[in-house]
Amino acid sequence: MQDISVLRTFQKELNLADDQLKQLQKTYFTGGLSFVDAFEDIGITDENRVLKVLADHLKLPLLGREDYPEKPVLLEGVSMFFLRKHAVLPIQVEAGRVRVVVNSPLDIPLLNILGDYFEGMEISLCLGQKEEIRTAIDRLYGTAAREAEALSRGEEGSVIHGDAFEEDLEHLKGLAQEAPIVRLVNVLISRALDMRASDIHFEPFERSFQVRARVDGVLFELDEPPKTMQPAIVSRLKLMANLNIAERRLPQDGKIKLRFGNREVDIRVSTVPTIYGESVVLRLLAQESVEYNLNTLGMEPRQYEFIESLIERPYGMILVTGPTGSGKTTTLYGVLKRLNKVSRKILTVEDPVEYQINGINQIQVKPQIDLTFANALRSLVRQDPDVLLIGEIRDKETADIAIESALTGHLVLSTLHTNDAPGAITRLRDIGIESFLMADSLLAIVAQRLVRLLCPSCKEPYEAREADYARLRDLIQDLPETVTLYHNRGCEKCGHTGFRGREAIFEVLPVGDAVRSAIVAGKSAGTISQVAFQEGYRPLLYHGYSKALAGQTTLSEVLRVTSLSLAS
């Protein structure tokens, strides 16, 4: 066995006496200790010396503190608490290969877990001192894991018992304001900001309490505090947002304003009750990091020129479609910024108002006092606006007022949740809008998605495979004989994901004479799409493929975000 072979090597290299060897075998094989801890148990405390012998025997590199990376690897489904407990840290992920530093290279169950997680990848092991690994984890991922570990042991006077929280609100409020909980929550938020996260999800399950962050539209594990900490963490978040910690049966919404160093961040807080406790989602809104410029959203030149000319029209309606989180609000704010002049009166009705824009009158919908989209719009059209932005058309009443406004001298901007631009026609018909009203009021329909951009520092070119080439040729006819595409490789600058930042892909459906006639004739979305194609309309995939060919993103990323439109 490898373990016995290692023990014999150690006996020779460290001059172990026979009784020490027997004690080591007993401690290691039956005591449940790690290899390094087993040596400490027999009085050999020089961990670096032990690891050097082990590294030579196993032919593995031994890392020093200077060898650890400056930026973390973003990992899905991995608890930072688990990494710290077992002193294991992935430090580099490349295409088909991962480099992991461990303290116990002979821990077969741990290696099996790593093998299952990085299935299909070649795992390259390195050795490192336990505390140096844990220090690197704290530096790279914040001290959340350490705070969780301390709290789970009941340090700093905070002995945590889950049942007590549900019965004693004052005790719960006190724990939520104690230093360890406060630090832990602050560390999680700060870490998410460092990762450029847009959201933090605190999710209760039967036997765990999971914290995940959404980075460039994809969720990554941020931490997994002990389940017993769940009520105190949730209560801390609710206290920060001035919510009622005693109310656990109904959803609540609130806001937090925090400063981390030189960064100010507005946080929108949403809580909902689940069967295992309250789920909390924080939306991180860093206004200074958002640019509302149409020319930086990712449109093709011809799309940008068309939209720019269209928004100068005095009346009509422009719809932006796509699922939640596809960047519709950012696009509309880009339009508003371009239109925002002293000569124009601009009013918006939003739910919620995410960002305030100077010079624009913004109204927050409040259904609890019957201030709905429809009710607000009835009053707004009497405010003599030039431009109206309606956050979302949800029902016939709102759609009727929007179309009436577009027909009576207002430029109306709004959103719909549909998979593609032609689908917006079907959606408006479904809620009861007459075809001739749509034809007369609509100027254009824009559909969009957000794709992750390849990291410019590490993207790798490859020649398109036959299946890739065939897929591209379905939409792009004038392809060269050989096509170069790009892989996401991963490096320190992008958190070893291969992606950094996002950009939108668009399809723009102009409502010209031919499309207008098809709408009045009651044609289907498919037929309208074919008619519009003759007038220059191209679907989302076309723009996505163009970005893949330009080396901005990957083909698989384009297909991932357009899968809904492919299925429709």
Side-chain angles (χ1 to χ4, degrees), residues 8 20 98 144 163 184 248 260 265 298 310 389 475 483:
R8 288 172 179 161
Q20 283 183 302
V98 58
D163 296 338
L184 175 56
R248 306 186 189 96
F260 287 95
V265 58
L310 206 64
L389 184 147
L475 277 180
V483 170

Side-chain angles (χ1 to χ4, degrees), residues 208-476:
S208 63
F209 183 54
Q210 192 174 62
V211 184
R212 296 190 289 174
R214 189 179 296 279
V215 182
D216 292 335
V218 179
L219 283 169
F220 293 91
E221 182 82 15
L222 191 62
D223 195 22
E224 189 175 316
K227 177 71 174 175
T228 50
M229 293 174 59
Q230 173 185 320
I233 292 174
V234 171
S235 295
R236 173 60 189 166
L237 294 170
K238 291 170 76 173
L239 285 173
M240 293 170 70
N242 294 316
L243 302 179
N244 183 4
I245 66 170
E247 179 55 76
R248 306 186 189 96
R249 302 165 300 169
L250 297 173
Q252 296 186 68
D253 295 299
K255 292 182 178 179
I256 303 171
K257 192 175 186 68
L258 292 177
R259 176 183 286 275
F260 287 95
N262 295 324
R263 291 179 298 186
E264 279 194 6
V265 58
D266 290 323
I267 302 174
R268 201 168 73 228
V269 182
S270 171
T271 73
V272 294
T274 74
I275 58 175
Y276 297 119
E278 288 179 283
S279 172
V280 183
V281 175
L282 308 185
R283 170 66 60 88
L284 308 177
L285 305 171
Q287 180 142 11
E288 67 279 1
S289 66
V290 180
E291 292 186 8
Y292 302 115
N293 292 318
L294 277 177
N295 57 352
T296 61
L297 297 178
M299 290 184 182
E300 291 182 333
R302 63 184 182 84
Q303 293 174 332
Y304 172 71
E305 290 170 8
F306 175 72
I307 294 296
E308 193 176 38
S309 65
L310 206 64
I311 63 178
E312 294 297 331
R313 300 277 288 271
Y315 60 88
M317 183 160 65
I318 300 172
L319 290 177
V320 180
T321 73
T324 301
S326 59
K328 300 187 298 295
T329 300
T330 302
T331 298
L332 289 177
Y333 278 17
V335 172
L336 290 184
K337 186 176 180 181
R338 181 60 59 89
L339 294 173
N340 191 12
K341 298 177 181 177
V342 175
S343 58
R344 287 194 181 98
K345 169 90 168 188
I346 302 176
L347 293 173
T348 76
V349 187
E350 304 172 66
D351 184 22
V353 175
E354 292 191 3
Y355 296 108
Q356 292 78 47
I357 303 176
N358 189 41
I360 295 176
N361 297 277
Q362 297 171 272
I363 291 89
Q364 169 77 55
V365 169
K366 296 178 181 177
Q368 62 270 26
I369 59 172
D370 205 30
L371 183 60
T372 61
F373 279 111
N375 290 340
L377 284 171
R378 287 193 192 93
S379 299
L380 292 187
V381 293
R382 293 192 291 272
Q383 290 277 313
D384 188 30
D386 295 298
V387 180
L388 269 175
L389 184 147
I390 305 168
E392 182 185 347
I393 293 178
R394 299 176 178 174
D395 51 44
K396 185 178 186 299
E397 191 175 11
T398 304
D400 282 336
I401 299 172
I403 288 176
E404 182 182 345
S405 299
L407 292 172
T408 55
H410 306 90
L411 180 64
V412 178
L413 311 171
S414 191
T415 70
L416 272 178
H417 285 109
T418 61
N419 290 338
D420 55 15
I425 305 296
T426 304
R427 172 65 178 148
L428 289 173
R429 282 189 186 134
D430 289 343
I431 63 178
I433 303 302
E434 297 289 346
S435 294
F436 72 91
L437 290 175
M438 283 188 278
D440 288 342
S441 60
L442 284 171
L443 298 175
I445 305 170
V446 179
Q448 67 180 81
R449 298 289 190 277
L450 292 176
V451 296
R452 292 182 292 172
L453 297 176
L454 283 164
C455 174
S457 300
C458 64
K459 64 181 182 181
E460 286 186 339
Y462 71 97
E463 187 175 327
R465 298 178 290 269
E466 185 176 343
D468 296 334
Y469 192 88
R471 193 186 294 274
L472 291 167
R473 194 172 49 203
D474 286 342
L475 277 180
I476 303 175

Side-chain angles (χ1 to χ4, degrees), residues 78-94:
V78 175
S79 164
M80 299 306 114
F81 182 69
F82 171 85
L83 295 182
R84 201 173 194 281
K85 178 182 177 182
H86 295 282
V88 53
L89 176 65
I91 58 174
Q92 188 178 10
V93 178
E94 298 178 347

